[in-house]
């Protein structure tokens, strides 16, 4: 997917910034917006692609950022005015 997706307002959990810098955060958000879902499995990647295409539902990307730390980027409410994205470390859920 080459086009950039609209991901709405971005909320970054404070714990994320303890582990990564702004440059890494920006790079991961760009990957998410371009449809590079990172480490999600094939089923979730297909679900993300369909959600992005139809602008319905949500997206989830998973990225390793070193060590045993993963960052998840979750976009919800595609196609709605309440479109939003949350960046978190899975233990934050």
């Amino acid at each position: 997917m080459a086009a950039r997706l609209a991901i709405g307002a971005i909320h970054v959990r404070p714990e994320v910034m303890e582990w990564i810098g702004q440059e890494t955060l920006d790079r991961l958000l760009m990957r998410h917006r371009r449809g590079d879902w990172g480490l999600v499995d094939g089923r979730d990647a297909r679900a993300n692609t369909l959600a992005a295409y139809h602008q319905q539902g949500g997206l989830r990307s998973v990225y390793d950022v070193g060590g045993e730390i993963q960052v998840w980027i979750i976009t919800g409410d595609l196609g709605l005015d309440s479109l939003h994205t949350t960046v978190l470390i899975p233990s934050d859920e």
Side-chain angles (χ1 to χ4, degrees), residues 44-64:
D44 287 343
R46 283 187 296 281
N48 281 349
T49 300
L50 286 172
Y53 179 78
H54 293 290
Q55 287 295 289
Q56 267 188 322
L59 308 169
R60 181 174 68 96
S61 296
V62 177
Y63 307 104
D64 274 334

Side-chain angles (χ1 to χ4, degrees), residues 31-92:
R31 287 178 64 185
H32 182 73
R33 290 183 70 197
R34 289 191 176 173
D36 173 356
W37 316 123
L39 301 173
V40 298
D41 63 25
R43 183 181 64 128
D44 287 343
R46 283 187 296 281
N48 281 349
T49 300
L50 286 172
Y53 179 78
H54 293 290
Q55 287 295 289
Q56 267 188 322
L59 308 169
R60 181 174 68 96
S61 296
V62 177
Y63 307 104
D64 274 334
V65 292
E68 295 182 21
I69 303 297
Q70 287 187 337
V71 171
W72 289 8
I73 301 179
I74 301 170
T75 299
D77 298 333
L78 288 171
L80 301 176
D81 290 339
S82 57
L83 177 66
H84 63 281
T85 295
T86 303
V87 182
L88 55 95
I89 293 172
S91 62
D92 289 349

